[in-house]
Amino acid sequence: MAVKVMIPTPLRPYAGRQASVSVEAQTVGEALDALTGQFADLRRHLYADGGRLRSFVNVYLNQEDVRNLQKDQTPLRDGDTISIVPSIAGGRSC
Amino acid sequence: MPETIEKTKHAAPAAPVSLSKEEVLRYSRHLIMPEVGMEGQLKLKQAKVLLVGSGGLGAPLALYLAAAGVGRLGLVDFDRVDFTNLQRQVLFGTSDVGKPKLEAAKRRLQDLNPEIQIDAFETKLTSENALDLLRPYDIVVDGTDNFPTRYLVNDAAVLLGKPNVYGSIFRFEGQLSVFGLADGPCYRCLYPEPPPPGLVPSCAEGGVLGVLPGIVGSLQAMEVLKLILGNGDPMAGRLLLFDALEMTFRELRLRKNPDCPLCGSNRTIHQLIDYYEFCGVRGEEAPPPSVEVPQMGPRELAERLKRGENIFVLDVREPHEYQICNLGGILIPLGDLPRRVQEIDSAAPVVVHCRSGARSAQAVDFLRKAGFRRVWNLRGGILAWSDEVDSSVPKY
Ligand SMILES: [Zn+2]
């Protein structure tokens, strides 16, 4: 299935500065694998050690949080949109 | 529905809530629309709203809520106005620079609407004072810019059973929701834990596009009005994502997390905690956990360069930062360093700098691990260079 993965602003530097990336996948997990296969730097921002999705990063299939669906196993349909939504706090710099 | 009206009718008849002739004129654009009307305007007049943070989000929030006639507006902030605020914090003017934000805010808001009460709390919101500060108010608005305070505001609002109108911004992207309504999710349902400091975003990627907080703060103000008026569909259970560059508003569904440690059925959080510890930062001013690396002060570097020493000055900021100001160093952004490391002259001593010294410390650590022996971090970066060596170099 061809799906679109929306990349949030803070993660765009690790995804070739793109706002969205199209991937081919059957499940949400496969789609994220395809994405991080393409952009290796993205991986450590999305997953904690041990391969669990970080707790300040949520993944939505269309409008629904995949935690409320079948998580990684959630099946995809052609034209679905996956959104990666990390928590943001403000525009501070260090 | 008109619960507040009922209350006023039966409460002390000596001082019924009503609008003066001046207020009727002031609020006439509200009064002539049925969705507000006299009933709604009196609700606004009796409403008590606490704004946490008087920055980018707080500015439009305070201005619009004051203008709309919210009867009592509390502001919590301990900062002073500085020049970098003026690009987006429209509550303040150039003549306010250096003054406490709340002093400037109160004057501006009281001029905008002398009919309302402004409570200025010139303090940092802490686990010790949060419950007392929030308690007298009906609605809390989160206009803060850091994770510890966001979790603190959320937890205090949930513990007190008050709605928390949430807005957050980053560069050109914003989020909006309403947390803490009965049966609705809270911020922890959405994000159980904050990001560890220093992960995303890194300091190279900060910044806020000027108008963005105006948009998100105005959306928050609109949600506040709707909650007070009891009109429309509040954003509870929904997360709005706004992308200013693409000019898109997307909406995601939020659900209460049954396992939420704060608002779930088996909640484990019954009081406020240490939010700096929770977020992995010790105090607002604590620098991000940076690596221990050899440092060189700006004066020493300046003298050695002046003596004509062959020092490789490496600038690890981003190209757009180099355009603001530079020390004539070779630019290799931190993220590009691993694949461009051969561009560095390993025969010469290397001094690495960034804006403040945090990114360059990471670069020095990387270079030492890559085998560089004579490599130093410029202590305090461009900011310290401007202070100690050349004041013509602008700070940003
Ligand atoms: Zn919750």
mmCIF file of all heavy atoms in Angstrom, chain B residues 35-63:
data_model
loop_
_atom_site.group_PDB
_atom_site.id
_atom_site.type_symbol
_atom_site.label_atom_id
_atom_site.label_comp_id
_atom_site.label_asym_id
_atom_site.label_seq_id
_atom_site.Cartn_x
_atom_site.Cartn_y
_atom_site.Cartn_z
ATOM 1 N N GLU B 35 -25.092 34.668 20.092
ATOM 2 C CA GLU B 35 -24.233 33.656 20.714
ATOM 3 C C GLU B 35 -23.551 34.179 21.980
ATOM 4 O O GLU B 35 -23.038 33.406 22.777
ATOM 5 C CB GLU B 35 -23.172 33.177 19.717
ATOM 6 C CG GLU B 35 -23.712 32.323 18.575
ATOM 7 C CD GLU B 35 -24.419 33.137 17.492
ATOM 8 O OE1 GLU B 35 -24.368 34.392 17.545
ATOM 9 O OE2 GLU B 35 -25.048 32.518 16.606
ATOM 10 N N VAL B 36 -23.506 35.481 22.137
ATOM 11 C CA VAL B 36 -22.972 36.052 23.377
ATOM 12 C C VAL B 36 -24.112 36.775 24.104
ATOM 13 O O VAL B 36 -24.629 36.284 25.096
ATOM 14 C CB VAL B 36 -21.787 37.010 23.121
ATOM 15 C CG1 VAL B 36 -21.202 37.498 24.447
ATOM 16 C CG2 VAL B 36 -20.698 36.315 22.292
ATOM 17 N N GLY B 37 -24.500 37.908 23.590
ATOM 18 C CA GLY B 37 -25.614 38.643 24.198
ATOM 19 C C GLY B 37 -25.288 39.109 25.612
ATOM 20 O O GLY B 37 -24.155 38.983 26.079
ATOM 21 N N MET B 38 -26.260 39.667 26.274
ATOM 22 C CA MET B 38 -26.066 40.153 27.645
ATOM 23 C C MET B 38 -25.708 39.005 28.586
ATOM 24 O O MET B 38 -24.816 39.113 29.429
ATOM 25 C CB MET B 38 -27.336 40.861 28.128
ATOM 26 C CG MET B 38 -27.244 41.408 29.544
ATOM 27 S SD MET B 38 -25.867 42.588 29.761
ATOM 28 C CE MET B 38 -26.619 44.087 29.092
ATOM 29 N N GLU B 39 -26.376 37.869 28.386
ATOM 30 C CA GLU B 39 -26.122 36.728 29.234
ATOM 31 C C GLU B 39 -24.663 36.282 29.128
ATOM 32 O O GLU B 39 -23.981 36.073 30.137
ATOM 33 C CB GLU B 39 -27.057 35.592 28.786
ATOM 34 C CG GLU B 39 -27.042 34.395 29.679
ATOM 35 C CD GLU B 39 -27.911 33.277 29.082
ATOM 36 O OE1 GLU B 39 -29.048 33.557 28.647
ATOM 37 O OE2 GLU B 39 -27.433 32.134 29.040
ATOM 38 N N GLY B 40 -24.192 36.167 27.908
ATOM 39 C CA GLY B 40 -22.810 35.735 27.691
ATOM 40 C C GLY B 40 -21.812 36.753 28.217
ATOM 41 O O GLY B 40 -20.797 36.405 28.827
ATOM 42 N N GLN B 41 -22.097 38.030 27.997
ATOM 43 C CA GLN B 41 -21.159 39.054 28.442
ATOM 44 C C GLN B 41 -21.055 39.076 29.968
ATOM 45 O O GLN B 41 -19.991 39.326 30.520
ATOM 46 C CB GLN B 41 -21.584 40.428 27.895
ATOM 47 C CG GLN B 41 -20.480 41.478 27.989
ATOM 48 C CD GLN B 41 -19.251 41.117 27.155
ATOM 49 O OE1 GLN B 41 -19.348 40.775 25.982
ATOM 50 N NE2 GLN B 41 -18.063 41.167 27.763
ATOM 51 N N LEU B 42 -22.176 38.805 30.628
ATOM 52 C CA LEU B 42 -22.121 38.744 32.095
ATOM 53 C C LEU B 42 -21.331 37.517 32.557
ATOM 54 O O LEU B 42 -20.635 37.559 33.573
ATOM 55 C CB LEU B 42 -23.535 38.728 32.678
ATOM 56 C CG LEU B 42 -24.287 40.060 32.519
ATOM 57 C CD1 LEU B 42 -25.728 39.938 33.019
ATOM 58 C CD2 LEU B 42 -23.569 41.196 33.252
ATOM 59 N N LYS B 43 -21.417 36.422 31.793
ATOM 60 C CA LYS B 43 -20.582 35.259 32.113
ATOM 61 C C LYS B 43 -19.115 35.626 31.983
ATOM 62 O O LYS B 43 -18.292 35.259 32.835
ATOM 63 C CB LYS B 43 -20.882 34.102 31.150
ATOM 64 C CG LYS B 43 -22.153 33.349 31.417
ATOM 65 C CD LYS B 43 -22.236 32.187 30.422
ATOM 66 C CE LYS B 43 -23.572 31.476 30.520
ATOM 67 N NZ LYS B 43 -23.698 30.415 29.503
ATOM 68 N N LEU B 44 -18.785 36.336 30.908
ATOM 69 C CA LEU B 44 -17.391 36.749 30.723
ATOM 70 C C LEU B 44 -16.950 37.633 31.882
ATOM 71 O O LEU B 44 -15.854 37.490 32.421
ATOM 72 C CB LEU B 44 -17.223 37.502 29.391
ATOM 73 C CG LEU B 44 -17.361 36.646 28.122
ATOM 74 C CD1 LEU B 44 -17.397 37.528 26.868
ATOM 75 C CD2 LEU B 44 -16.223 35.641 28.008
ATOM 76 N N LYS B 45 -17.828 38.541 32.274
ATOM 77 C CA LYS B 45 -17.483 39.471 33.345
ATOM 78 C C LYS B 45 -17.216 38.743 34.657
ATOM 79 O O LYS B 45 -16.386 39.149 35.460
ATOM 80 C CB LYS B 45 -18.616 40.496 33.527
ATOM 81 C CG LYS B 45 -18.303 41.557 34.573
ATOM 82 C CD LYS B 45 -19.300 42.689 34.561
ATOM 83 C CE LYS B 45 -18.935 43.690 35.673
ATOM 84 N NZ LYS B 45 -19.689 44.943 35.538
ATOM 85 N N GLN B 46 -17.895 37.636 34.862
ATOM 86 C CA GLN B 46 -17.717 36.892 36.121
ATOM 87 C C GLN B 46 -16.621 35.843 36.025
ATOM 88 O O GLN B 46 -16.304 35.189 37.005
ATOM 89 C CB GLN B 46 -19.022 36.195 36.488
ATOM 90 C CG GLN B 46 -20.062 37.153 37.011
ATOM 91 C CD GLN B 46 -21.371 36.435 37.157
ATOM 92 O OE1 GLN B 46 -22.048 36.121 36.170
ATOM 93 N NE2 GLN B 46 -21.720 36.131 38.387
ATOM 94 N N ALA B 47 -16.076 35.653 34.826
ATOM 95 C CA ALA B 47 -15.099 34.572 34.635
ATOM 96 C C ALA B 47 -13.749 34.953 35.213
ATOM 97 O O ALA B 47 -13.368 36.123 35.236
ATOM 98 C CB ALA B 47 -14.968 34.266 33.145
ATOM 99 N N LYS B 48 -13.041 33.924 35.681
ATOM 100 C CA LYS B 48 -11.701 34.115 36.245
ATOM 101 C C LYS B 48 -10.753 33.168 35.521
ATOM 102 O O LYS B 48 -10.909 31.955 35.571
ATOM 103 C CB LYS B 48 -11.708 33.810 37.741
ATOM 104 C CG LYS B 48 -12.718 34.665 38.507
ATOM 105 C CD LYS B 48 -12.682 34.407 39.999
ATOM 106 C CE LYS B 48 -13.426 33.169 40.435
ATOM 107 N NZ LYS B 48 -14.886 33.274 40.323
ATOM 108 N N VAL B 49 -9.799 33.733 34.819
ATOM 109 C CA VAL B 49 -8.899 32.944 33.972
ATOM 110 C C VAL B 49 -7.457 33.223 34.362
ATOM 111 O O VAL B 49 -7.064 34.387 34.523
ATOM 112 C CB VAL B 49 -9.117 33.292 32.472
ATOM 113 C CG1 VAL B 49 -8.143 32.516 31.591
ATOM 114 C CG2 VAL B 49 -10.562 33.006 32.059
ATOM 115 N N LEU B 50 -6.680 32.158 34.521
ATOM 116 C CA LEU B 50 -5.266 32.313 34.854
ATOM 117 C C LEU B 50 -4.397 31.969 33.646
ATOM 118 O O LEU B 50 -4.492 30.877 33.091
ATOM 119 C CB LEU B 50 -4.886 31.388 36.021
ATOM 120 C CG LEU B 50 -3.435 31.558 36.510
ATOM 121 C CD1 LEU B 50 -3.253 32.893 37.228
ATOM 122 C CD2 LEU B 50 -3.020 30.405 37.423
ATOM 123 N N LEU B 51 -3.562 32.913 33.240
ATOM 124 C CA LEU B 51 -2.624 32.689 32.135
ATOM 125 C C LEU B 51 -1.250 32.408 32.717
ATOM 126 O O LEU B 51 -0.691 33.243 33.427
ATOM 127 C CB LEU B 51 -2.524 33.921 31.234
ATOM 128 C CG LEU B 51 -3.822 34.523 30.702
ATOM 129 C CD1 LEU B 51 -3.500 35.713 29.783
ATOM 130 C CD2 LEU B 51 -4.618 33.480 29.946
ATOM 131 N N VAL B 52 -0.716 31.232 32.416
ATOM 132 C CA VAL B 52 0.630 30.917 32.872
ATOM 133 C C VAL B 52 1.591 31.203 31.728
ATOM 134 O O VAL B 52 1.545 30.564 30.687
ATOM 135 C CB VAL B 52 0.746 29.448 33.322
ATOM 136 C CG1 VAL B 52 2.143 29.193 33.889
ATOM 137 C CG2 VAL B 52 -0.317 29.111 34.350
ATOM 138 N N GLY B 53 2.430 32.221 31.915
ATOM 139 C CA GLY B 53 3.352 32.642 30.863
ATOM 140 C C GLY B 53 2.834 33.869 30.138
ATOM 141 O O GLY B 53 1.697 33.896 29.672
ATOM 142 N N SER B 54 3.671 34.906 30.074
ATOM 143 C CA SER B 54 3.303 36.123 29.339
ATOM 144 C C SER B 54 4.259 36.323 28.183
ATOM 145 O O SER B 54 4.779 37.411 27.972
ATOM 146 C CB SER B 54 3.337 37.343 30.256
ATOM 147 O OG SER B 54 2.346 37.229 31.225
ATOM 148 N N GLY B 55 4.491 35.268 27.435
ATOM 149 C CA GLY B 55 5.404 35.359 26.301
ATOM 150 C C GLY B 55 4.650 35.422 24.999
ATOM 151 O O GLY B 55 3.659 36.147 24.865
ATOM 152 N N GLY B 56 5.119 34.650 24.026
ATOM 153 C CA GLY B 56 4.523 34.673 22.691
ATOM 154 C C GLY B 56 3.059 34.295 22.690
ATOM 155 O O GLY B 56 2.237 34.950 22.042
ATOM 156 N N LEU B 57 2.701 33.248 23.399
ATOM 157 C CA LEU B 57 1.301 32.819 23.460
ATOM 158 C C LEU B 57 0.513 33.713 24.405
ATOM 159 O O LEU B 57 -0.640 34.065 24.142
ATOM 160 C CB LEU B 57 1.211 31.360 23.940
ATOM 161 C CG LEU B 57 1.835 30.303 23.029
ATOM 162 C CD1 LEU B 57 1.885 28.945 23.727
ATOM 163 C CD2 LEU B 57 1.056 30.191 21.722
ATOM 164 N N GLY B 58 1.144 34.070 25.523
ATOM 165 C CA GLY B 58 0.454 34.864 26.539
ATOM 166 C C GLY B 58 0.061 36.246 26.046
ATOM 167 O O GLY B 58 -0.936 36.806 26.509
ATOM 168 N N ALA B 59 0.827 36.797 25.114
ATOM 169 C CA ALA B 59 0.554 38.159 24.651
ATOM 170 C C ALA B 59 -0.807 38.274 23.968
ATOM 171 O O ALA B 59 -1.659 39.058 24.409
ATOM 172 C CB ALA B 59 1.683 38.655 23.744
ATOM 173 N N PRO B 60 -1.071 37.504 22.901
ATOM 174 C CA PRO B 60 -2.403 37.608 22.291
ATOM 175 C C PRO B 60 -3.499 37.121 23.233
ATOM 176 O O PRO B 60 -4.609 37.670 23.229
ATOM 177 C CB PRO B 60 -2.308 36.710 21.052
ATOM 178 C CG PRO B 60 -1.163 35.792 21.313
ATOM 179 C CD PRO B 60 -0.199 36.579 22.163
ATOM 180 N N LEU B 61 -3.190 36.114 24.034
ATOM 181 C CA LEU B 61 -4.173 35.611 24.997
ATOM 182 C C LEU B 61 -4.635 36.726 25.919
ATOM 183 O O LEU B 61 -5.832 36.979 26.076
ATOM 184 C CB LEU B 61 -3.529 34.508 25.843
ATOM 185 C CG LEU B 61 -3.663 33.084 25.326
ATOM 186 C CD1 LEU B 61 -2.620 32.182 25.964
ATOM 187 C CD2 LEU B 61 -5.069 32.558 25.596
ATOM 188 N N ALA B 62 -3.657 37.387 26.528
ATOM 189 C CA ALA B 62 -4.001 38.430 27.497
ATOM 190 C C ALA B 62 -4.733 39.575 26.822
ATOM 191 O O ALA B 62 -5.737 40.080 27.340
ATOM 192 C CB ALA B 62 -2.727 38.926 28.183
ATOM 193 N N LEU B 63 -4.235 39.981 25.661
ATOM 194 C CA LEU B 63 -4.858 41.118 24.975
ATOM 195 C C LEU B 63 -6.305 40.807 24.601
ATOM 196 O O LEU B 63 -7.215 41.600 24.870
ATOM 197 C CB LEU B 63 -4.058 41.474 23.708
ATOM 198 C CG LEU B 63 -2.707 42.147 23.947
ATOM 199 C CD1 LEU B 63 -1.880 42.169 22.657
ATOM 200 C CD2 LEU B 63 -2.905 43.574 24.468
#
